[in-house]
């Protein structure tokens, strides 16, 4: 009788341990799936970050190029303005003299 009770108790203990093991295995599987999902999200985030960094570098390069072009155009405009002023200066002086002569004649 004692042996039978002991066997039943051991069987119940064994079933309880098996249930604990099944729960632990189930939790481990869920955790493993969650980890895999998080790794996928991390990989997607890293890919998106990499793509955004590449776009940022491309835009920065474009901005630098446009800044250099703007500076070159400003230099060209200033040089053309200076040249135009130098070419027109003799005519301006001649016209100023003509105005002064006309004013003198009117007096």
């Amino acid at each position: 009788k004692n042996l039978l009770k002991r066997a039943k108790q051991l069987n119940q203990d064994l079933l309880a341990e098996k249930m604990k093991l099944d729960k632990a295995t189930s939790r481990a599987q869920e955790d493993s799936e969650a980890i895999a999902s998080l790794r996928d999200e991390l990989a997607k985030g890293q890919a998106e970050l990499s793509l955004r960094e590449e776009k940022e570098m491309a835009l920065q390069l474009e901005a630098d190029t446009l800044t250099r072009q703007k500076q070159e155009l400003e230099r060209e405009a200033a040089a053309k303005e200076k040249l135009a002023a130098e070419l027109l200066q003799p005519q301006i002086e001649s016209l100023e003299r003509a105005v002064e002569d006309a004013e003198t004649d009117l007096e």
Side-chain angles (χ1 to χ4, degrees):
K1 250 185 171 177
N2 258 351
L3 193 55
L4 186 57
K5 281 184 183 180
R6 177 81 173 130
K8 285 182 181 181
Q9 183 61 43
L10 287 174
N11 192 31
Q12 286 177 353
D13 291 348
L14 183 61
L15 286 175
E17 289 300 318
K18 184 179 182 311
M19 288 174 53
K20 286 180 186 177
L21 180 61
D22 288 346
K23 275 187 181 179
T25 301
S26 177
R27 283 186 190 151
Q29 179 63 31
E30 290 171 2
D31 290 348
S32 179
E33 290 170 2
I35 289 170
S37 176
L38 290 172
R39 283 187 177 148
D40 287 345
E41 286 183 42
L42 177 62
K44 286 178 187 176
Q46 288 174 331
E48 185 177 334
L49 176 63
S50 178
L51 181 63
R52 288 177 189 253
E53 287 174 343
E54 287 175 18
K55 284 182 181 180
E56 182 181 354
M57 284 190 290
L59 289 172
Q60 185 61 48
L61 179 61
E62 184 179 356
D64 292 344
T65 300
L66 291 172
T67 299
R68 283 192 298 277
Q69 288 175 349
K70 177 186 172 202
Q71 291 170 345
E72 181 61 30
L73 290 171
E74 288 172 344
R75 282 192 294 272
E76 286 178 18
K80 286 180 181 181
E81 186 178 317
K82 182 180 177 187
L83 179 61
E86 289 173 355
L87 292 174
L88 291 174
Q89 190 60 37
Q91 290 176 338
I92 292 170
E93 290 173 359
S94 173
L95 290 172
E96 285 175 346
R97 279 193 302 274
V99 168
E100 287 175 8
D101 290 344
E103 286 175 346
T104 304
D105 290 344
L106 289 175
E107 292 176 357

